Amino acid sequence: ALVGSLIGAIMGALFSIFSNYMFVYPCYISLFGMSEMGILSMYQAINPHVNSLLEALVVFNAPFTFGKYMISVVITFLVYKRISPIIKGSFLSNS
């Protein structure tokens, strides 16, 4: 379960790069009138060495997304044992 969770978190972080680059930022550009350079400049305010939107996604978004998934993994591992009877439906037979 731990290996699967880690693989899922890594895949989610990688997918966030793809989805943001291919869908989210183009929507920001077309729907909200933002420019790619404007979006990139917000990232460069944090780290001036970031030179492209794709690089910004790798440097900032992927680690953030990985961290979000890992928080979910930790919470799941902490509470799963306690709530597994409810999930499996066996709490009804104990009543």
Side-chain angles (χ1 to χ4, degrees):
L2 180 61
V3 172
S5 298
L6 291 173
I7 291 171
I10 292 168
M11 294 304 292
L14 293 175
F15 183 74
S16 76
I17 295 169
F18 169 76
S19 64
N20 279 300
Y21 192 73
M22 298 302 290
F23 302 109
V24 176
Y25 287 126
C27 286
Y28 285 169
I29 292 167
S30 65
L31 297 175
F32 302 115
M34 298 177 76
S35 68
E36 186 174 331
M37 199 58 213
I39 296 169
L40 182 60
S41 67
M42 289 187 268
Y43 285 112
Q44 288 175 332
I46 301 168
N47 182 352
H49 301 292
V50 174
N51 297 315
S52 70
L53 196 52
L54 186 58
E55 184 181 350
L57 289 169
V58 170
V59 170
F60 293 105
N61 291 52
F64 177 76
T65 303
F66 179 75
K68 287 191 309 181
Y69 280 112
M70 289 311 298
I71 289 170
S72 296
V73 167
V74 168
I75 291 170
T76 300
F77 273 88
L78 290 174
V79 301
Y80 180 76
K81 272 274 206 221
R82 292 182 187 108
I83 66 169
S84 64
I86 297 169
I87 294 170
K88 294 175 183 175
S90 64
F91 70 98
L92 295 174
S93 62
N94 293 338
S95 302

